[in-house]
Amino acid sequence: MSSLEVRELRKAFGQVTALDTVTLGVPEGELAAVLGPSGCGKTTLLRCLAGFTTVDSGRILVGGRDVTALPPEKRRIAVVPQEGALFPHLDVAANVAYGLPRADRRGGRAAEVLELVGLAGYGRRMPHELSGGQQQRVAVARALAPRPPLVLLDEPFSALDAGLRAELRRDIRAALRADGATAVLVTHDQGEAMSMADRIAVMRGGRIVQSGPPADVYGTPADAWVAGFVGEAVLLPAEVRAGQALTALGKVPCPAPDTAAATVLIRPEQVELAGEGVAATVEREDFFGHDALLLLRLDDGTALSARVLGGMPRRVPGERVALRVRGEARLLG
Ligand code: ATP
């Protein structure tokens, strides 16, 4: 296993700049998520790392070794695709052993990685006898088997239903960690990136616009776009004076220098329904069971949202509520 260093990668397809000076570092044994909307360049980055696409300029170093000009097979980087990666005529054990040097196929590595992904004892099954989630587990086991210096995961859970995805994410993350793998996960799903990654690189228009630990990207997003892409955001015009933001929701602590006209970020989970506070009208409730998102409007016309825990009474449009903010507001750049 090795670290990954991507230096100023550029790639254009005709007039379209798919990668615009992308720089990214992933320390050995860590998982980085490249998170961004459709068309931002995620797949292109992954294909450049794997060697399926040549770069226009820049460098890719894996464990300090420059692989930029090497063909895919010389890079020994493993890719877990979205789905359908298994050989249908080979059983699970043979699928997993496929990537191993011939001499190692009889050793215990295939069984070891199958156990890592929670499929001990499944070696004799055929791919069509497995669920979609189990097939993806096998795909991860096959990727890990030859101990590649780097594992690339291309939206590996996108074809699976939501309930299955959460469990699979946890198990695959644990398997990668147990094996010490250095990995890059490409996804447009912020929940997937947040829950799995040590570090998130947010991509937009071919550029990495922010990178850092998930809590930092969520808590202190670089700008309003990142704030809204990684979660629900309440963006309010504000004046900041002596560490307090003066907003339509009242005074909220804000660790920032004084400024007359700014935009601050508050997350909906910071907006509480209280006995007294700023008056608002419920416009809609999006109910999710474990919690609900209330779409609200203040009397001055400001629209915002509040996240309330499940088990609270359902709210109906037109209902009047009072709001209070918990925690700090973040000044956006
Ligand atoms: P998605 O999540 O939809 O897969 P993405 O973030 O992976 O999107 P890319 O597939 O990397 O985005 O595409 C980035 C940009 O480069 C897009 O504008 C796309 O149209 C363009 N592009 C990608 N591959 C090619 C190609 N082979 N030829 C021409 N344009 C391409």
Side-chain angles (χ1 to χ4, degrees), residues 32-332:
V34 175
L35 172 69
S38 182
C40 74
K42 306 181 296 290
T43 307
T44 303
L45 175 59
L46 188 125
R47 290 180 58 82
C48 288
L49 296 179
F52 304 145
T53 298
T54 56
V55 303
D56 295 340
S57 62
R59 288 271 158 269
I60 301 166
L61 288 90
V62 178
R65 169 176 171 245
D66 190 336
V67 301
T68 320
L70 296 181
E73 65 278 9
K74 292 261 172 62
R75 299 188 186 194
R76 300 196 306 109
I77 294 171
V79 181
V80 179
Q82 294 188 358
E83 59 178 324
L86 304 182
F87 300 114
H89 58 288
L90 296 181
D91 68 14
V92 165
N95 260 286
V96 172
Y98 184 83
L100 290 172
R102 208 162 278 278
D104 295 346
R105 290 190 189 165
R106 292 188 184 283
R109 181 63 179 160
E112 184 180 304
V113 286
L114 277 174
E115 188 170 347
L116 269 183
V117 299
L119 288 183
Y122 280 69
R124 303 311 297 269
R125 293 259 197 118
M126 297 303 285
H128 74 266
E129 296 172 317
L130 301 176
S131 70
Q134 288 168 336
Q135 290 183 24
Q136 284 308 79
R137 286 173 192 259
V138 177
V140 172
R142 186 175 63 184
L144 288 175
R147 300 183 202 278
L150 181 67
V151 179
L152 305 177
L153 301 132
D154 182 8
E155 310 229 17
F157 314 119
S158 58
L160 306 171
D161 68 62
L164 197 60
R165 262 202 311 253
E167 186 190 344
L168 204 57
R169 281 175 193 163
R170 267 196 305 275
D171 291 356
I172 296 305
R173 182 67 194 105
L176 292 168
R177 217 182 275 283
D179 217 41
T182 308
V184 175
L185 166 75
V186 159
T187 182
H188 63 266
D189 181 327
Q190 55 96 6
E192 192 156 292
M194 292 278 165
S195 63
M196 290 187 72
D198 299 299
R199 173 170 297 270
I200 293 179
V202 183
M203 248 186 123
R204 184 187 188 195
R207 288 180 159 266
I208 291 180
V209 289
Q210 185 172 8
S211 74
D216 290 2
V217 174
Y218 186 78
T220 49
D223 57 29
W225 184 86
V226 174
F229 190 72
V230 301
E232 297 285 343
V234 176
L235 302 174
L236 298 173
E239 183 184 337
V240 181
R241 287 276 169 266
Q244 300 277 331
L246 311 178
T247 74
L249 282 174
K251 266 192 197 174
V252 184
C254 180
D258 288 3
T259 160
T263 300
V264 295
L265 164 71
I266 292 166
R267 293 292 183 188
E269 59 271 24
Q270 292 178 255
V271 181
E272 289 182 331
L273 273 54
E276 56 185 58
V278 179
T281 305
V282 175
E283 296 209 319
R284 201 174 82 217
E285 184 198 50
D286 291 342
F287 185 68
F288 300 109
H290 46 68
D291 60 16
L293 196 69
L294 296 180
L295 285 307
L296 304 157
R297 195 169 292 276
L298 304 184
D299 293 347
D300 70 358
T302 304
L304 72 154
S305 54
R307 195 174 292 285
V308 293
L309 279 180
M312 303 298 277
R314 300 285 306 264
R315 302 287 171 173
V316 290
E319 194 176 334
R320 296 284 285 169
V321 292
L323 306 177
R324 200 172 55 192
V325 177
R326 219 161 33 87
E328 293 178 337
R330 290 278 162 198
L331 184 71
L332 290 179

Side-chain angles (χ1 to χ4, degrees), residues 4 13 19 149 215 271:
L4 168 69
F13 298 102
L19 298 180
V271 181

